[in-house]
Amino acid sequence: MPDLKFSDAEPDDHERALVDALVEQPPVVRQSERVVLGGIRRAGDARHLLLPGLHDLNASRGWISPGGLNYLAESLQVPPAEAFGVASFYDLFELEEPDMPGPRHHVCVDASCALADASGYAQQLRAEGKNVHEGPCLGQCENAPALFIQARSSDPVDMASTGETEQKFNATLANRLLRRFGLVDPQSLRSYREHGGYQALKTAIEVGQEEIIRLVTESGLTGRGGAAFPTGRKWRTVANHDHRQKYVVANADESEPGTFKDRMIIENDPFALIEAMTIAGFATGCTKGWIYIRGEYSTATKRLRSAIEQAYQAGLLGANVHDGAFTFDIELRQGAGAYICGEETALFNSIEGFRGEPRSKPPFPTESGLFGCPTIVNNPETLINVLDIATYGVDVFRSVGTPNSPGTKLFCVSGDVGNPGLYEAAFGLPLHELLEVAGVQIEDVQAVLLGGAAGRFLAPPNLDLPLSFEGTAERGATLGSGAVTVFSKDVDLWSVLVRLAKFFRDESCGQCVPCRIGTTRQHEVLLQIRGTQPNESERVLLSDLSMVMGDSSICGLGHTAASAVQSAFTEGLVGVQT
Amino acid sequence: MFGAGGGTSSYKEVEEADFVLLWGSNARAAHPIYFHHVLKGIRNGGSMYAVDPRRTDSAKFAETWLGINVGSDIALANALAREIIAADLHDTRFIEHSTIGFEAFVEHVEPYTLDFAASATGVDAGTIKDLAHRYATATTAQILWTLGITEHHNGVENVLSLCNLALLTGHVGRWGSGLVPLRGQNNVQGGGDMGALPNKLPGFQDIDDPTALRKFETAYGVPLNPRPGLHLTLMFEAMAKRELTGLYIIGENPADSEADVRHTRDLLRNLDLLVVQDIFMTRTAELADVVLPASVGWAECDGTVTSSERRVQRVRAALEPPSGTRHDHEIIGLLAQRFGVPWPTTSPEHLWDELRSLSPMHKGMTYTRLEQGEGLQWPCPDINHPGTQYLHGWLWEEDLGGHDPAPFSLTNHEGPKEKVTSDYPLRLTTGRVLDSYNTGVQTRGYSSPIRSGVDLEISHLDAKELSLVEGERVTVSSPRGSVEMTVSIKSDQAQGLAFTTFHFPELVDLNLLTNDQWDPLSGTAEFKAAAIRIDKLVGNNRA
Amino acid sequence: MSNKSVSLHIDDQLITVPEGTTILEAAQSMNIEIPTLCWAENLTPVNVCRLCVVEAEGARTLIPACSRTCEDGAAVKTNTDRVRENRRMVLELLDSANDLSQSDNLQELISDYGADSDRYTDPVKTTTPPKVEDDLFVRAYERCVLCYKCVEACGDDAQFTFAIAVAGRGFDAKISTEHDVPLPESACVYCGNCIGVCPTNALQFKTEFDMREAANWRPEEQSVTETICSYCGVGCTLELHTQDNQIVKVTSPADHSVTSGHLCVKGRFGWQYVQAPVYRAPSSDSEQSAK
């Protein structure tokens, strides 16, 4: 770009080599001593490499050195202040040399892990001399307390793979999305094909684009991330756009505390996601897909990377999918520790090499999304539903579930649960039935947090709640991402509330006033009244904060930052004189 | 030219232009707020190419930078023209309707092949061809330039060569397309508008037009000298011949700013009478017999100035001037009274109204109108006229609005007068930096955190050849003189090219080096091209 | 902006505006006042302060008037209880976190809306000592409300220098150079366009800072004169703010077609010679020098 000023800080040889390998088309090209290509647009085209570059640098030394950052910024012509602003946005990046050598051990201290004595676990690791960081949910709630070891490229290989844990899933209530779990070899395209893989794409190509969109629309499939937007409508809008470039984005930045379904989909059946995205691309005329996956999901990332590579080799991705039927590429991007990047527009900014701050909507992604182009964003669970819809049709898809919530849903059950894990169930199942199957002693339940941190608490009288969009909506609850976190009667709910408030305070991007300051004040107030009964003015204060965050924040993070806390009051779980 | 006298386009147009060709201008540093408009254009999807011997801060914003040899502008422009014609990208209807001399022009540029231009400019033929095609096929295109075009011995021909490109492609006379020379001071344009040119009366009326002359004589009540006067360079020549022995200088500092400044200072010293009217005790003022302390035009006086988009704007007094200083118009008025001419003590508005009565292009610009809004762009012939956003719209009118068709000009590539030789093997060129201004008398007053001083910037290749290191003090010599300077080594500077600023004459008497070869049409000296030599300091190492 | 127009109700009055007009612009044209903080007419709306929220029929949450464009058939209310309560809370949150004492506009709004930041016990605040790194300007980030205006002005809304950006996250997010290096080491070119847009005086001229320190800053005695900058031929309008016959700071009107409110280092700061006696003193043997 322009008259940027870079510092004199130099990268080491390894950092230099990493950046050089990353930037294949540099924004400034010295064609000769007298001709140089440059300018703003070329710099803009290269900027999406910033996030992968930061990952490479951070993995190289366990932190991002000033020399490395400066060299990356110069190579991409990103202003150094902006490169610093982006790097400092993410939890997984260190900008100062760590006091302690060795990989960073992230221990989750959110609800389910806290119940499993996460702080004791962290203390134990510290005692072993590990570099420990206590942080938000790692999406391994079924194996609490969860640990993620952020390995450096110099660390031994087995270190990097400690993220692999026991796969706990249960398909006794329904078995569609979990069909291949445990049967298919997630690292083998051949195995995927032997288990029915790529039949759906074949069918899709046979019936054509219009028909696929019609099927998805009539199936009644809606988004499984929480907002439940009709998938067919998104696809239709993007398909209708006559834009030079359109994108499909798989949002696998699953960060809602208590949620781990998309990680398990990718770990167990990665080709299903690739196939479903390919169908989306085919149906809507998008020639490029992006998968944005949580930075903490190392096993899933590894498997996905291998699956994408195999799909390319088999001609199932690339310029001639299915012998020239169409073009579809997939690029993988890793998040770096920021809950907010699961918000679709923050996710775009993150991919594009900007801070993961949500954009204002409208314009919606289907009009102006990634790189300003019409974009479909769906999460992996939503996408893989398309495979069955394409293969078996609308009637079969709608044969389970409720009329307004057809099909099945994945539930991530954790906390005070006998058999934590991933459960598939037809929509409409009463909550207590799910809990019983998961080995919960219903009479011991103090509360269930449905939908993660952004969700709501349910008190025992509400455990008959039907698990459908309409069923939850009727009682002012939300399915959210399908996180079901169970708290038994001996849990101190105040601690849970304080931690929830801390989570939002830590994860607010800081962009808008209601959320930046509101989440901070909410946490402060809860800390002050913790263990006591809130007085009237404190109740009013919390309620005012809830109002301004809910009404006036830019995005869903702020809108829901007080929901769980407020629901604990309205359900009578806390704050009642006994 | 086709009757100009001012930039054709409004700033707003560059925000919407499809293609911008920045040629010999480091507007990022010299015209920063104009460059904001350029940047808006780029942000809006426009493209910019830059032609400049140096990859300046401005050129870094360009999609493509063409680093031509100093003084090879005409070779490039003519080759662009030839390529546009050869590729059949010229606007034949426009040419036929609005121009004359096309046939001769085609013949004239025939020798300017891409290969010829490549060897003359140092830029490869493919890039030149690319530029020709981008400019010609753009829906709207502007050429912007500054002193990199005009401060040459053939600066006027350089300008004409750029005008040819606009005529060839129809990139003039309509919204978004045009030719924009950026003015260096807040009232260069206004000075010309007011007749501070040797051959013009206010409003660009010719002094040898008897009707115009009579109009002014009647208004002023005195006979006027009908002969064109001398431009600056000719004045110095006349001083050298002792034909001119008295000089009244208002707000100029030639003892620092002229090329070959030692010669200039000798001439000023030899005058019988030198009167200097200035806000500072400049080096020129120090040579004067009489100094008339003036107030600061833009902060202590009322009046008007005219910008690069021909916008007449009000300046206003915000401060009481220091005691003992007077407004320029007041000093001149009082002098006139001492000379026995009964000029009334008068206000700027009164003077302006007198101008309006004599200059048709200013007639509609009353002070009341100038006070409201943002000023007015000339021509503004009557009080209901909104002012003119772009010039030469007549080129697109059915009957050319009664004008003669615009002529193509035949220009020849010569290169700088002063050739580099084995004695003086490096090319020195000069320019502005962001935080300083001209000879520095106005910018020395604030402490800029980004002030870089007055280093001689050279290519790392030349540094290697001359065994020079960063920060080394050296002797820099041209055929006219020598100064001591500090070397700054640049990795992206062309070999053989040296650059410095002229803002710090108190530190380095740079114009001892510069070349006073001047353009016979404009009188501008060739500041942009001297030949120099760098010698290591004898018996002294690093500073 | 297209040629199409849309009609909507704002506070029960019907108005027709060109498509693309924001609710704020439409309201302004009807003389309906909507408070703003992060909005400026010379910058792209970022809608982060949320002070301009209004209520639109059918919308679940409030919407920012500064960036939301008018939709045909919409019904917008700019001053309902819900709107006022939300604005009151936004002001209260800001006041609880920052020193807003040098922002008259916010002080007025705080009292108008009855915002009471004393409700919070020991709230964490933004506390950073003023950064005085050069002779031209001062950055006092304890007053920074993170409105992004300076970042926009330094970036692609005007200057394209990108010397500053937002760094960090959440409550700890702040305006920063890379690694928080001092401004003179950064890419800053001292155009001062960040000062020009700062709504809370977190960024200010060194002259103003020094005069405030010396208890000599008297805005009520200052006058503003428009003139034209002398440092090149572009013709930038300067607003010279003067006190005691001295220029104390320089701005440019945000709605001016030449500058859009933005200047360069020379126009913003280069005026000092005018009032520096050492430069202006007529020579010693002149009769006026007696003064």
Side-chain angles (χ1 to χ4, degrees), chain A residues 2-3 33-34 36 38 41, chain B residues 28 46 61 63 65 67 69 495:
Chain A
D3 45 352
E33 198 198 335
R34 300 300 190 86
V36 178
R41 214 158 302 139
Chain B
R28 177 66 162 164
F61 284 94
E63 274 176 42
W65 164 67
N69 290 327
Q495 189 167 16

Side-chain angles (χ1 to χ4, degrees), chain B residues 11 36-37 298 320 374 434, chain C residues 159 227 234 245 257-258 266:
Chain B
Y11 303 158
H36 282 186
H37 294 269
W298 60 277
E320 285 289 320
E374 306 184 341
L434 176 63
Chain C
Q159 179 60 27
T227 189
V234 174
N245 202 39
S257 75
V258 174
K266 299 185 290 288

